[in-house]
């Protein structure tokens, strides 16, 4: 039996891979990736980058106190405008909120909260949903019936309604929001994953593993889960955006991350009336941050959808 | 076919029952509504009487059985907070939600369909990107942000549009004439909330239109029409659009319901007395029957719609009947 | 405030032609035999010329409207203002006093507090034209199921209907609080419900379309959204000044502000907070602080020796650390009044906290630090939570900033209203651990003793205070039948509570309302509508007037 | 020869279909309706038939992926259905399979090394170094360099993949490999390679094959004996050469006619089949083949022919003989 000269093949393969890599790089959605990378960096480095603390008011100078309150000493100066407007200063470049805290620092720490909540929440949802979807699809019969009926019932609950309902079960807190997102969104995954697994189950490599006497759990872990990852990834990237919005909406309605933590949605809710007073920067900056994050997540999701899952392309 | 419909119906019933159970359980985990209503310092006898009149002194399984059996008779119970039957309050609010949802739907069509067509006709062009961007932006801006900005600009600064609620016209159940006038009056109140809500959905509309158009434009049928020498504008307007609007319209019913359901934030911001605001109020007051009623009604609508779609698809495509 | 009210009212008497009710012969005729308790019930004003209703008044409230609020039989302590629209009571709080004759023209309580008697005005009718008689009064009492109903039923021996206008309540034991509960604010039992109508339409029907003997006829409502009423020109006191009143629920402050600015609202409540400055700056609006009650802080776990708050010096340090003046400036544009009691100045028997009875609490962070060091906390300490009354979270953060400056560090625990209420009603168990501060406000009718009963004694429903000294004073108070001695004891307890720092008061909360130019009279005289003591919302409604 | 490695005794497999949610089951598909055969150590049995005749069900029965409705399958003298626990695992180790579609039988998300090692890891307690050594050995056995173990399946062509599948099947020293149409999805040029590989492996490892195909020609090369299946029944079993030279059953003859003749000069009776394979739900009475048989007699409509031994090792079920 002749050995096929796979070595030559592999040099070619390396060149091909490099070319493919370049093409992929060129086709990557650069703008959303850059925005996401920037936000992620800010989130991770917030304590280092932020010029001021997230909770404490910025200590004002004598002149500022005199200008605002006509006394030489005051605890803080609230509602300072951004640096380019009259009365603004470079020390607090995006102004201060009504408690005299630096808007920029809070936005930076807010990126942290938004990303943590959205990513971990979606991750947990993905994990639960994928697992249940695989179980339903692969174990079949009662597993399938029970899990899918629950999924169906779950899906009929509008997500925000459900999130609000859940959030009033427990006291608000960051990790509760994560839990809520996980509990709300898993059903999206389980439905999609189940369909995928139903198809996979009929593939030969799964049958082969069964005939080989490989345990069901091993099959699920080694064969099924890796193969539904594409679908899960696409869903994940699209859900992250939704999760950010839900988190912001929950916080805005007072059901989310409690103050004084600087969640963007909460910052907007707290300064909701400031917009009317002309202090637009307290409302527009967090709003823009949310929009930017969700927009880039959505763009990335769209791109992934086209590239990872041709079946989903037209949906 | 009969068996298929039966099975689907059974599934729907099971789904509804699960929904009922989930809601019942969840709502009861949210805390004690009596404490809310009685405040601190209420006399214990009154609290006990309140608890009794709301049926909260019974063991949980009795409450559950009572709840389910009343539901089967179409009785959603009395609102704790609003002291009237849940059903009456819900149906008083539903027209408001439908009006908002319908207007928002029109907005999403007006924004989504033309942009969707343009981007399908000129794939990867400037129009395509711009349309996608507008749609994605709508998906990415939180509703409360859009709402607040609209209120400030058009309500306060320019003073063009009213900002409070739906205006004086309302549906009066006993007077059918009000049902019609309700739809045509106070449209100025509708503009901002409908836009804020509709923008969010225009993205989905755009996508469906675009992919529908692309499918149709690529089909043999259109190629044939083109070969016959029909002018391109006619091809698009008459043949392609007509066919690609079918998925848009089938999607519409579902979308309208979804809109009614997701409108909470918009309704709260614009003080729109719809079902969403009702639910928000009920949740903030631990008004168990109201929460149960509203969520069940919205769930019921979705389940019924899903069932209808399943059955219709079953008629159209026999393979679906066999697959499950 | 009281003197101001009288000044304005006397002015009104001249300008509007409203005469003080004069003692008529029938009114003087006694009902009960034997010695009577001294009652301070004011006479009603009855218009000499009736006037004609005109114009529409749109009112924006900051909470949802419960149709149940139009049914006095289910009273649960909220939104008394709505009863003043459609219903009327025998006696009720009015601008001239907490007890004012309304449907009754005479009330008597026997000196042993075992009998109470009322005589109705002649010729009273419900809005549907049916006569209002003592049978309705009796039926209302017997069918009342709201707050305190059990207490009222247990005290009652029987009701004696003397004639269509005269009724006597006989009690099993001395019932000192009876008028507090019967004056329409402590319970709904004093508001007379038309028996014939209620029995015909049932509870739901009544709540959907209520009817009574008040100045306004119910027109329509959307549950939770809006109530519309129309003037009933047959009202006994006068014809209402406004033709139509729409009461709208608008939860969002910005939306209420926008409503005032666009003219969709004529009156809006709860204009406190971030938009207060805008309200003050708007030349088209008139506003009034309308102080309701003082904010105060409580220390749920202070009684346990392990609690840092067990030490009076720590509690005093908390009080000293709060920069009340700056807080008032930030939260309320400086209109809130720092106050030394947890009971409002408008409450009966209350000690004034503006320096007359109790000192205004000083701001002295240096001394606070000293006290903390003396108590063994030179570097301060972390405490578990700071739980603010919903939704005053900003205020809580500002106070926490002040506390942090002296070394007391914590986080805000943001509960939503039901959760907060539920925790409060659980008493000490609601806030487990002993390192929590709860911030509270309670504008409550019924005099200072009600707030003591609730907050300062061991058995109080929302009380975290349990001190033997207060207990013994309270026991004397409860045993006493002498009104003057009761007042003295009540004041003594208040002093003990404040001087022991068991409660730390902050400032009087301005519950600001704003009124547009449409509401008459022009100028600052418009605030006469809010002269009723201890009431955040104005009543009665029949005196309101707007530009047509 | 000693007792055969695999003995299949009169095995049946029926599937119920069309059962409603509440009502009784309505019909049975008799996918396998009483077949018997044996496979010796180191021997290859070819199993041939049109699609839908029950070949795949037979293979599933042998692989213990289905349990027979009736009858017995014995492996190394033990009833497969009775195997429990470690013995059943041992059976799973000793009986392996190679499927038709090489694109579907290798998990796209696993590295080649892991795919091959999977049965080893499942059945044998080996250190990871030993596993790697085994993989290397197997890869070399089927003609790859050991370093391809790190690659993913999508980097291989169909023929290469099928070799990987074979390596996997042999990874646990299987005694019997079920080859379920292993070459039908491949280019004709590759087929010979694979067949040759299988042949050499059998020579080296003394493994038995159950070679399933719809094409007699493919089977003839590799298998010593061939069984022909029609509608759930065996119609003819013989030595491959014997069958090739002297097909008796009209169906076998037709199959030969359909495939290319192995010698162009050889003259043979040509039978062209008419019609389709009848439904297994409602098979014809009597001989299942009679509706399509050019030699059908009245008796064929009534009576089912039994499998009778005409000459040593050559059995046929037909009323003609």
């Amino acid at each position: 039996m002749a050995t096929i000269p796979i070595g030559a093949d592999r040099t070619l393969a390396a060149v091909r891979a490099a070319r493919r890599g370049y093409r992929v790089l060129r086709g990557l959605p650069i703008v959303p990736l850059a925005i996401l990378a920037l936000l992620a960096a800010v989130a991770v480095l917030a304590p280092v980058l932020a010029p001021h603390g997230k909770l404490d008011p910025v200590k004002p100078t004598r002149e500022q106190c005199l200008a605002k309150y006509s006394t030489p000493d005051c605890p803080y100066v609230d509602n300072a405008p951004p640096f380019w407007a009259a009365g603004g200063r470079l020390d607090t470049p995006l102004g201060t909120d009504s408690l005299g805290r630096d808007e920029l620092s809070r936005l930076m720490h807010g990126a942290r909260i938004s990303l943590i909540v959205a990513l971990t929440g979606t991750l947990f949802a993905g994990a639960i949903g994928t697992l249940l979807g695989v179980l339903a699809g692969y174990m079949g019969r009662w597993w399938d019936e029970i899990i899918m009926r629950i999924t169906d019932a779950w899906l009929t609950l509008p997500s925000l309604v459900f999130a609000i309902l859940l959030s009033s079960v427990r006291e608000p807190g960051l990790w509760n929001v994560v839990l809520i997102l996980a509990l709300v969104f898993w059903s999206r995954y389980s439905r999609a994953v189940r369909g995928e697994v139903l198809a996979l189950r009929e593939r030969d490599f799964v049958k082969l593993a069964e005939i080989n006497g490989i345990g069901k759990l091993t099959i699920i872990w080694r064969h099924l889960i890796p193969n539904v990852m594409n679908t899960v990834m696409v869903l994940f990237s699209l859900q992250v955006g939704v999760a950010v919005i839900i988190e912001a909406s929950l916080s805005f309605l007072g059901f989310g991350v409690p103050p004084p933590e600087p969640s963007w949605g909460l910052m907007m809710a707290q300064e909701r009336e400031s917009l009317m007073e002309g202090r637009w920067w307290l409302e527009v900056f967090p709003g823009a941050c949310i929009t930017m994050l969700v927009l880039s997540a959505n763009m990335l999701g769209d791109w992934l959808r086209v590239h990872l899952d041709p079946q989903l392309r037209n949906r | 076919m009969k068996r298929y419909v039966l099975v689907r119906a059974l599934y729907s019933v099971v789904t509804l029952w699960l929904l009922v159970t989930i809601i019942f359980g969840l709502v009861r985990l949210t805390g004690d509504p009596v404490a809310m209503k009685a405040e601190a310092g209420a006399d214990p006898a009154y609290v006990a009487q309140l608890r009794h009149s709301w049926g909260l002194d019974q063991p949980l399984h009795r409450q559950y059985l009572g709840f389910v059996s009343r539901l089967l008779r179409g009785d959603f119970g009395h609102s704790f907070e609003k002291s009237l039957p849940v059903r009456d309050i819900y149906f008083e609010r539903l027209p408001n939600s439908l009006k908002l949802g319908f207007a928002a739907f029109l907005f999403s069509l007006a924004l989504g369909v033309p942009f969707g067509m343009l981007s399908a006709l000129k794939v990867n062009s400037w129009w395509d990107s711009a349309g996608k961007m507008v749609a994605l932006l709508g998906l990415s801006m939180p509703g409360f942000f859009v709402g607040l900005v609209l209120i400030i600009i058009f309500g306060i600064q320019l003073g063009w549009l009213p900002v409070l609620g739906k205006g004086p016209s309302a549906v009066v159940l006993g007077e059918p004439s009000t049902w019609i006038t309700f739809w045509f009056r106070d449209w100025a109140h509708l503009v901002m909330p409908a836009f804020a809500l509709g923008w969010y959905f225009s993205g989905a509309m755009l996508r469906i239109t675009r992919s529908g158009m692309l499918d149709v434009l690529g089909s043999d049928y259109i190629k044939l029409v083109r070969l016959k020498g029909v002018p391109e504008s006619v091809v698009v307007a008459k043949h392609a659009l007509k066919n690609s609007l079918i998925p848009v319209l089938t999607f519409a019913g579902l979308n309208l319901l979804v809109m009614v359901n997701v409108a909470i934030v918009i309704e709260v911001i614009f003080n729109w007395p719809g079902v969403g605001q009702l639910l928000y109020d009920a949740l903030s007051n631990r008004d168990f029957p109201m929460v149960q009623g509203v969520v069940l009604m919205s769930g019921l609508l979705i389940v019924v719609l899903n069932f209808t779609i399943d059955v219709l698809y079953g008629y159209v495509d026999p393979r679906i009947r066999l697959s499950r | 405030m009281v003197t101001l009210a009288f000044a304005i009212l006397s002015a009104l008497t001249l300008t509007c032609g409203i005469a003080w009710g004069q003692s008529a012969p029938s009114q003087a005729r006694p009902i009960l035999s034997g010695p009577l308790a001294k009652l301070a019930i004011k006479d009603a004003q009855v218009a000499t010329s009736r006037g004609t209703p005109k114009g529409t008044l749109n009112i924006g409230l900051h909470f949802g409207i419960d149709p149940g609020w139009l049914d006095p039989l289910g009273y649960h302590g909220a939104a008394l203002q709505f009863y003043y629209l459609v219903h009327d009571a025998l006696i009720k709080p009015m601008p001239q006093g907490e007890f004012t004759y309304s449907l009754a023209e005479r009330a008597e309580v026997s000196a042993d507090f075992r009998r109470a008697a009322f005589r109705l005005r002649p010729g009273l009718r419900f809005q549907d034209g049916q006569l209002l008689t003592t049978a309705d009064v009796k039926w209302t009492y017997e069918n009342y199921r709201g707050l305190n109903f059990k207490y009222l039923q247990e005290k009652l021996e029987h009701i004696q209907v003397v004639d269509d206008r005269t009724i006597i309540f006989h009690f099993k034991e001395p019932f000192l609080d009876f008028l507090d509960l019967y004056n329409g604010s402590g319970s709904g039992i004093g508001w007379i419900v038309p028996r014939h109508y209620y029995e015909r339409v049932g509870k739901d029907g009544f709540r959907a379309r209520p009817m009574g003997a008040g100045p306004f006829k119910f027109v329509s409502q959307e549950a939770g959204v809006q109530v519309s009423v129309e003037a009933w020109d047959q009202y006994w006191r006068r014809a209402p000044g406004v033709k139509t009143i729409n009461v709208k629920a608008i939860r969002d402050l910005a939306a209420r502000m926008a409503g005032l600015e666009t003219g969709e609202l004529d009156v809006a409540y709860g204009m406190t907070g971030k938009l207060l400055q805008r309200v003050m700056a708007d030349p088209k609006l008139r506003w009034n602080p309308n102080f309701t009650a003082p904010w105060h802080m409580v220390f749920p776990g202070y009684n346990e020796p392990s609690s840092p708050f067990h030490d009076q010096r720590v509690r005093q340090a908390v009080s000293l650390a709060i920069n009340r003046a700056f807080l008032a400036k930030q939260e309320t544009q400086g209109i809130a009044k720092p106050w030394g009691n947890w009971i409002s100045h408008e409450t009966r028997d209350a000690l004034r906290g503006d320096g007359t009875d109790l000192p205004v609490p000083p701001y002295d962070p240096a001394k606070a630090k000293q006290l903390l060091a003396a108590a063994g906390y030179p570097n301060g300490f972390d405490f578990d939570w700071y739980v603010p009354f919903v939704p005053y979270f900003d205020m809580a953060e500002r106070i926490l900033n002040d506390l942090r400056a002296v070394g007391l560090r914590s986080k805000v625990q943001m509960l939503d209203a039901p959760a907060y209420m539920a925790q409060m009603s659980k008493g000490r168990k609601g806030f487990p651990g002993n390192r929590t501060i709860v911030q509270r406000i309670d504008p409550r009718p019924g005099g200072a003793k009600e707030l003591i009963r609730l907050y300062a004694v061991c058995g109080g429903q929302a009380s975290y205070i349990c001190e033997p000294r207060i207990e013994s004073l309270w026991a004397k108070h409860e045993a006493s039948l002498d009104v003057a001695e009761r007042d003295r004891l009540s004041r003594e307890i208040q002093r003990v509570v404040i001087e022991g720092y068991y409660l730390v008061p902050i400032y009087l909360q301005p519950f600001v309302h704003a009124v547009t130019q449409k509401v008459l009279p022009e100028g600052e005289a418009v605030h006469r509508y809010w002269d009723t003591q201890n009431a955040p919302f104005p009543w009665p409604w029949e005196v309101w007037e707007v530009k047509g | 020869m000693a007792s055969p490695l695999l003995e299949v005794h009169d095995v049946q497999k029926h599937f119920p279909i069309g059962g409603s949610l509440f009502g009784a089951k309505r019909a049975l598909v008799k996918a396998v309706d009483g077949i018997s055969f044996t496979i010796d150590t180191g021997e290859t049995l070819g199993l041939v038939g049109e699609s839908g005749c029950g070949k795949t069900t037979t293979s599933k029965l042998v692989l213990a992926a289905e349990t027979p409705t009736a009858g017995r399958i014995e492996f190394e003298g033990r009833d497969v259905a009775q195997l429990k626990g470690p013995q059943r695992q041992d059976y799973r180790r000793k009986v392996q399979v190679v499927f038709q579609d090489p694109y579907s039988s290798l998990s796209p998300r696993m590295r080649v090394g892991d795919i091959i090692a999977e049965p080893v890891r499942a059945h044998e307690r080996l250190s990871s170094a030993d596993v790697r050594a085994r993989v290397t050995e197997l890869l070399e056995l089927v003609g790859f360099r050991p370093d391809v173990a790190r690659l993913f399946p999508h980097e291989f062509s169909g023929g290469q993949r099928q070799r990987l599948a074979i390596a996997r099947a042999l990874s646990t020293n299987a005694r019997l490999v079920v080859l379920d149409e292993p070459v039908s999805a491949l280019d004709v040029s590759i087929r010979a390679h694979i067949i040759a590989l299988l042949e050499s492996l059998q020579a080296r490892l003394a493994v038995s094959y159950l070679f399933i195909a719809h094409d007699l020609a493919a089977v003839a090369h590799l298998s010593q004996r061939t069984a022909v299946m029609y509608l759930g029944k065996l119609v003819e079993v013989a030595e491959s050469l014997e069958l090739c030279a002297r097909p008796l059953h009209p169906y076998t003859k037709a199959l030969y006619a359909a495939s290319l003749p192995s010698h162009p000069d050889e003259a043979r009776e040509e039978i062209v089949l008419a019609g389709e394979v009848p439904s297994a739900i409602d098979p014809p009475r009597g001989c299942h083949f009679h509706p399509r048989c050019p030699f059908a007699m009245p008796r064929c409509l009534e009576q089912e022919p039994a499998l009778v031994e005409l000459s040593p090792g050559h059995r046929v079920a037909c009323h003609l003989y």
Side-chain angles (χ1 to χ4, degrees), chain C residues 82-101:
Chain C
F82 290 97
Y83 296 159
Y84 281 82
L85 282 174
V86 180
H87 303 292
D88 206 350
L90 297 192
I91 52 172
K92 66 188 181 193
M94 288 288 267
Q96 56 266 54
E98 207 176 327
F99 302 92
T100 305
Y101 285 117

Side-chain angles (χ1 to χ4, degrees), chain B residues 32 35-46 49 78 80-85 89 92-93 96 151 155-156 161-164 166 168-170 189 268-269 271 273 277-278 280-281 283-286, chain C residues 64-68 74-76 145-151 204 207-208 221-225 249-252 255-256 258-259 261-262 264-265 278 416-419 421-422 424-425 440 444 454 461-462:
Chain B
D32 186 358
M36 169 70 192
K37 193 122 183 181
E39 279 206 42
D43 77 299
Y46 170 67
Q49 188 258 341
H78 269 65
F80 292 168
E81 193 217 355
K82 298 193 170 41
S83 309
L84 287 176
I89 301 175
E92 185 180 277
R93 295 285 187 100
N96 302 339
I151 288 182
I156 313 279
L161 295 166
V163 297
L164 287 191
K166 64 169 173 46
S169 61
H189 289 259
V268 169
I269 284 274
N271 209 53
Q277 206 198 32
L278 182 67
Y280 175 71
D281 274 10
L283 275 166
S284 347
N285 288 301
R286 306 293 187 271
Chain C
I65 299 166
D66 177 357
Y75 176 86
H76 52 71
R145 283 293 176 277
L147 202 57
N148 291 318
F149 82 104
K150 201 100 183 173
Y151 186 60
D204 284 348
R207 285 173 176 177
Q221 68 175 335
E222 288 170 64
V225 181
I250 298 147
R251 291 190 160 210
D252 182 32
R256 289 196 299 281
E261 293 187 354
T262 58
E264 291 169 78
L265 293 178
R278 192 180 177 91
D416 66 340
M421 296 295 185
M424 280 308 282
S425 69
R440 183 101 174 93
R444 181 176 293 264
L454 193 60
Q461 296 282 325

Side-chain angles (χ1 to χ4, degrees), chain B residues 23-63:
Chain B
I23 292 299
F24 179 86
L26 264 183
V27 166
R28 258 144 200 82
L29 286 177
T30 57
D32 186 358
V34 177
M36 169 70 192
K37 193 122 183 181
E39 279 206 42
D43 77 299
Y46 170 67
V47 170
Q49 188 258 341
L50 209 56
R51 203 175 290 276
H52 176 74
S53 71
W54 287 348
L56 294 172
D57 53 346
Q58 293 179 357
L60 214 54
H61 67 277
R62 293 285 292 279
Q63 286 185 41

Side-chain angles (χ1 to χ4, degrees), chain A residues 99-162:
Chain A
L99 289 166
R101 298 173 297 201
D102 178 35
E103 187 72 1
L104 178 65
S105 308
R106 281 176 70 76
L107 284 175
M108 285 175 152
H109 284 276
R112 211 169 209 203
I113 292 178
S114 283
L115 282 176
I116 287 181
V117 169
L119 286 179
T120 44
T122 321
L123 204 67
F124 284 141
I128 300 172
T130 307
L131 205 65
L132 288 176
V134 170
L135 280 178
Y138 184 61
M139 306 299 262
R141 296 206 265 180
W142 288 113
W143 285 88
D144 193 20
E145 288 302 326
I146 291 170
I147 292 174
M148 287 335 283
R149 292 288 76 74
I150 294 176
T151 304
D152 278 354
W154 223 259
L155 279 171
T156 53
L157 282 164
S159 53
L160 186 61
V161 172
F162 197 20

